[in-house]
């Protein structure tokens, strides 16, 4: 019963097979190989973006940090949700790559920025001229850290606000596939057609070993990006093995299939929990993560049986008196099995 | 005939098999897995360093950059050879991670720092007090960028100079295994026993997919290192796949076996070239790379036959008049075959 | 009627005279002069801190930024009030000097951190281990940006919370003299005796031309500070002219006299406004700034007569319908005259 | 007998008087005052550059560091002479402000870059594509650190090489006035007409208290510069006092008069030394500094009599055996008196 995170799962068999296959012979290093070129071709097709520049990195943190560094100056601020991964889980990587930047935190229910709050935050920023940080960019996480999803209309609305102020838009798509499956939108609709300039296109959390693509819909600053990647120590010499993962991930819609499975498992888990006496959802379940409050006794039974997941926020504790329900985060992945969920639900009952 | 670099080769079969094997089931992420712990245990044994802290990253550039950032302050300078990888091939990654540092270049034949030149450079640095960059650290590349190797005695001598000035010592061991095989020294003799504080222990160039270990013989600043790695976007979520590579690389001395093969292939190539009329070695061949001047006609025959390698320095050209020999860099790897070498030599004749 | 800021005033005559006097002959540069040494001696006496290290810079922004950079690592966060100068008015200077740090904003009435809120903020930080920014330091602004003052007891309470977490404490004392005069505390009581490790001791806003002293009560990291100052371009060659200002500022308690005058002028202004029909104070007037809501008609009369001050927040406007009062910030300085205040009050009536 | 540096001298009386005069009344802060506007107008006239943007800072180090940060990216390198102030005397300030940049050192006699060496250095840089630092900018110091001067023709030749590679050109003019006087060139001829894009226009070393103007002949990136200055803690609140110095410095050609005096004094000193038995010039004396080798006995007599100057390089010592001459740096300033020189020369004889 593995619900701690989608990154505790391994690599999808098709992707592991692709790594094997890519291992034949000598191949030019640093991305000058045929597989890398094929990734660019394929992602341009999938995103209907024939001009897009594509770069592969191995972690989601650096995909986001490099994107922010490219899109805003050190004296500019990134507008994002208070619970965004770039704010909460990257140990300041964006600020490091930006060169001393800042994140301005925007509120909104269920980890989604409220458009009015975003507009207020941007309008308020830089009012003191050069004495203040300046307006830099907007970063939207989709799917969110709360397992919710922005619709195309919602992304479009946020991006329109950014445009009103002349700001570029980044999407943290560490779980982009989960968001697409949840909304039924096309890759293009969810990104550049909605006003997104740069996408961190996640692979690792959804069945890859360690690869993310950064897609620059406007290639104008591609060279800068490439230099920042190298300088950050993120250019792989045996680059073919990043490319092989991504190609297999995209082949035949595997990426959407894996995300569809994870979302379905989360839906099954969510419905099961919602039906439990004394349990309730903290956030609507729209992607592959369930946030729910469950009676402490149920937690104790599940944990005694070895179920792996985090209380959320995870600085809580099951100890001490009282029986009020405690919230937990339960994440499903491409590898989650129905049996795990049913066994877990039976423990909670 | 692949001599462009040791990183055009693929992954050794034992290491690929280990990745397969590591793919079973769910495993804690971010390095909290059993394989990662086993890597630390194994490297401590191999280096006779029970206290050492060990961190895995995916590229040699970041292994070096993080090591430098940990060992010197932004206002301190790194003493290294003029042709060191950190100076010539990392697009300023050390300066970026250090936060605006500097490299002070030391000369010496065959890419090895001359001890007297190192002492002069250090003594000269900071003579103007706070107006100057301060003395920071010494970085030694072994095996060097010229295919030569520092003996234990030579490393000890350079480290002793650093000690005279109270400076820590880093070793860029992207090709550490090749240096060990060449010298017959033990891992401990070549590092901490000789005065090395931090080692970038390379795996990628010697048969891994993408993994390097940074070994801190003094673990005092291990926590800082960990935070710098995370902040640099270099902490892998599916960390088991870095660990699996490294474990297989170390198992049964595979790392030394692979390096031994690469060195032997380079020796064969070197001897063959040295015997050619009009050819000569530019640097002694001590590890897995051959630097040799070869008649242009020989280059033309080899290249026409599809041999892959770089003229060195590689901004030279075969075009134009004259027949004087041109220097080339020819790198052998764990995957180089005798037949490649013999075929190549026959083309040069 | 000049209430826009205390930095629109000029230089106190005693300080200008000291600059004249310091201009005789040749003097060693970069702080090796007798006046600079005398400043250190004098500030150590005034602060009863015989070991303190003292450095002079020309702006408050860099005094704060260098202090933060010395006290916290790039991956650590600075806890400060949401309206602190380092957050709102320095264009990211602390983050720049820290090397990509972060400020964690703490709330509390009248620009003073609420102790419980500070404790919660610190406790919450770093709960995710290396995935989060780490706890760095606490920065207290006294007098605050709202013209209020922390008592010694209040500073002690906040510093005690920092100590509970092992964090150092910085005080932004751009208006330190105003705070001392308001509380009657001694310099030592308000700083190191209360748990403050580093003080930005302001001179510029209180009658100097441009000088602030950074006082390190623990001199252990003084050398680092000195190198950071030089590297930031903040070491003056003709350093005697920074020292001369500071010496004259301290001589015979001039600094307290000037602040006492500014505070008294603000009290007079505050009482006058509080007595106006339809007017009210936004913050208690405890130092040299008055924050008050005044009827729009009164604003119009004052501005028509050329009174200089900012509506606060200053992105408000007098235009448009409605007569509800608008808040303003009115700052008094060492140079403010009673007549200005009385004339201004008569306009508001 | 003060020859240690031109920054041991005080402030020219006309400039001190201007500070007095600027001290009347309340004035807008942060550069929104009339004097600051007048400085821009005046410098645009003097440089025949009606579009130029002008910013004042208090130190030469930051004038250079901000200029470099504006003109090159963190992954680009600055081409400058091996002895440039930005390389030798700024504790890495350029690298800090650039955000981890690099300086590529170019040789040439008497601290002047050899054009062929500059071209080779630029051509060699970046040959490895993204693996290397990229070509960034050229920085020319005039007058140089060796008391020599580039003619307009020499600056034009170096700038033309930069142009061939599309690189911008910065001039470190900490002693710009001395260079102009020495060459008789006009400010425009020595800068933008010769291909200089940004000038650090020095005042401090030539009679000001602490002010330098950065002149951007192309104002396109002026806003960025302003933000970098603020963020670096270099925007003065009582900015009128920077402006007042600069205005007085420019008024009636005072700046050229002061530099002319300093150059004349250096010429007198140089001629006197050249005529001494056993003495010789190390560099031609073209501006306000004399570099000469003098018999040790002469040094001993001069130092015994209290003459202040540095042996050069200054990590030399008078002690020990031998009587061979030792080199010294002797700097004259606006305040140097003929009597000082004659007295000094008489001691050397």
């Amino acid at each position: 019963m593995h619900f701690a995170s989608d990154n505790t799962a391994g690599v999808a068999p098709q992707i592991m097979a692709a790594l094997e296959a890519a291992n034949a012979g000598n191949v030019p290093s640093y991305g000058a190989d045929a597989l890398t070129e094929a990734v660019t071709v394929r992602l341009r097709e999938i995103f209907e973006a024939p001009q897009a520049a594509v770069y592969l990195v191995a972690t989601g943190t650096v995909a986001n940090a490099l994107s922010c560094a490219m899109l805003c100056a050190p004296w500019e601020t990134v507008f994002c949700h208070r619970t965004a991964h770039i704010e909460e889980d990257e140990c300041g990587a964006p600020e490091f790559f930006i060169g001393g930047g800042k994140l301005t935190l925007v509120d909104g229910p269920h980890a989604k920025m409220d458009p009015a709050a975003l507009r207020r935050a941007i309008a308020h920023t830089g009012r003191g001229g050069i004495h203040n940080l300046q307006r830099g960019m907007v970063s939207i996480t989709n799917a969110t850290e709360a397992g919710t999803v922005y619709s195309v209309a919602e992304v479009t609305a946020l991006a329109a606000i950014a445009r009103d102020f002349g700001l570029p838009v980044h999407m943290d798509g560490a779980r982009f596939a989960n968001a697409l499956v949840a909304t039924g939108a096309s890759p293009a609709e969810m990104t550049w057609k909605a006003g997104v300039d740069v996408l961190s296109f996640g692979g690792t959390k959804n069945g890859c070993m360690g690869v993310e693509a950064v897609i620059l819909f406007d290639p104008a600053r591609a060279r800068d990006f490439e230099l920042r990647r190298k300088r950050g120590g993120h250019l792989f010499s045996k680059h073919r093995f990043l490319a092989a993962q991504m190609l297999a991930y995209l082949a035949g819609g595997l990426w959407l299939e894996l995300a569809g499975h994870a979302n379905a498992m989360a839906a099954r888990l969510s419905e099961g929990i919602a039906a439990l006496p004394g349990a309730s959802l903290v956030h609507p379940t729209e992607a592959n993560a369930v946030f729910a409050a469950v009676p402490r006794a149920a937690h104790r039974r599940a944990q005694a049986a070895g179920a792996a997941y985090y209380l959320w926020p995870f600085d809580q504790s099951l100890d001490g008196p009282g029986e009020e329900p405690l919230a937990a985060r339960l994440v499903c992945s491409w590898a989650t099995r129905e049996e795990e969920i049913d066994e877990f639900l039976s423990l909670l009952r």
Side-chain angles (χ1 to χ4, degrees), chain A:
Chain A
M1 298 175 288
H2 301 285
F3 306 115
S5 174
D6 35 13
N7 59 34
T8 65
V11 178
Q14 303 94 320
I15 294 168
M16 187 58 81
L19 286 169
E20 283 272 12
N23 195 30
N26 285 66
V27 161
S29 47
Y30 297 116
D33 60 286
L35 295 177
T36 298
E37 188 178 351
V39 166
T40 296
V41 170
R42 191 76 193 90
L43 281 170
R44 285 173 170 174
E45 289 166 6
I46 289 171
F47 280 86
E48 307 167 47
Q51 306 306 325
V54 174
Y55 295 103
L56 301 181
V57 291
T59 74
T61 290
V62 80
N64 291 335
L66 287 171
S67 298
C68 292
M70 186 185 65
L71 291 176
C72 74
W75 49 83
E76 294 176 339
T77 190
V78 181
F79 298 94
C80 64
H81 193 277
R82 181 175 303 283
T83 64
H85 198 271
I86 56 175
E87 165 66 13
E88 293 223 314
D89 299 299
E90 300 184 355
C91 196
E95 293 91 333
F96 171 54
F97 280 86
I98 289 171
K102 211 176 183 71
L103 308 187
T104 298
L105 307 180
V106 178
D107 289 307
H110 304 310
K112 291 164 66 175
M113 285 188 279
D114 171 64
L118 175 60
R119 186 178 290 280
R120 273 195 310 276
I122 300 175
H124 184 72
T125 298
R127 70 201 178 291
I130 59 168
H131 299 278
N132 307 149
L133 263 282
Q134 305 294 299
R135 300 160 180 164
M137 61 182 280
V138 173
S139 181
I140 302 169
T141 309
N142 205 18
T144 74
E145 296 298 306
T148 55
V149 171
Y150 288 98
S151 69
V152 168
E154 290 172 319
V155 172
T156 304
L158 294 174
I161 294 167
R163 282 287 173 284
D164 289 347
F165 293 94
L167 306 184
V169 178
H170 165 254
M171 180 172 281
D172 175 357
R175 297 186 177 97
F176 185 73
N178 305 88
L180 274 199
V181 167
T183 57
S186 77
E189 288 165 349
M190 184 57 84
T191 55
W192 64 270
K193 287 183 176 176
V196 173
D197 300 285
V198 175
L199 171 67
S200 298
F201 178 78
T204 310
K205 285 178 156 62
N206 191 33
C208 294
M209 181 179 283
V211 67
E212 316 273 311
V214 179
I215 304 177
L216 318 182
F217 296 107
D218 172 357
R221 299 167 73 179
R223 178 74 174 169
D224 281 8
F225 188 93
E226 218 175 341
L227 288 157
R228 290 183 188 276
R229 178 180 61 167
K230 170 67 187 180
R231 176 175 176 73
H234 287 283
L235 175 59
F236 273 45
S237 55
K238 297 183 177 178
H239 196 275
R240 61 169 128 169
F241 295 107
L242 292 183
Q245 292 180 64
M246 184 55 69
L247 270 182
Y249 181 61
L250 298 174
L254 176 63
W255 61 299
L256 295 169
E257 185 187 305
L258 296 173
H261 174 81
N263 286 9
M265 291 299 100
R268 183 185 186 91
L269 178 58
S270 182
E271 287 151 19
I273 290 174
L276 295 176
S280 61
L281 296 181
V282 175
H283 301 299
T285 304
E286 298 172 355
N288 65 317
V290 179
F291 290 76
V294 171
R296 291 175 182 230
H299 279 302
R300 293 199 188 88
R301 288 191 301 274
Q303 296 190 3
Y309 60 92
Y310 289 108
L311 297 180
W312 206 262
F314 57 83
D315 47 5
Q316 299 178 93
S317 158
L318 259 176
D319 309 339
E323 270 313 311
E324 65 281 5
L326 273 187
R329 185 188 79 161
L330 302 150
V331 189
C332 298
S333 78
W334 72 273
T336 305
R337 291 167 298 100
E338 281 195 7
E339 305 70 55
E340 288 180 274
I341 289 167
D342 299 345
E343 180 186 359
F344 182 71
L345 289 171
S346 67
L347 283 162
L348 295 187
R349 281 191 200 94

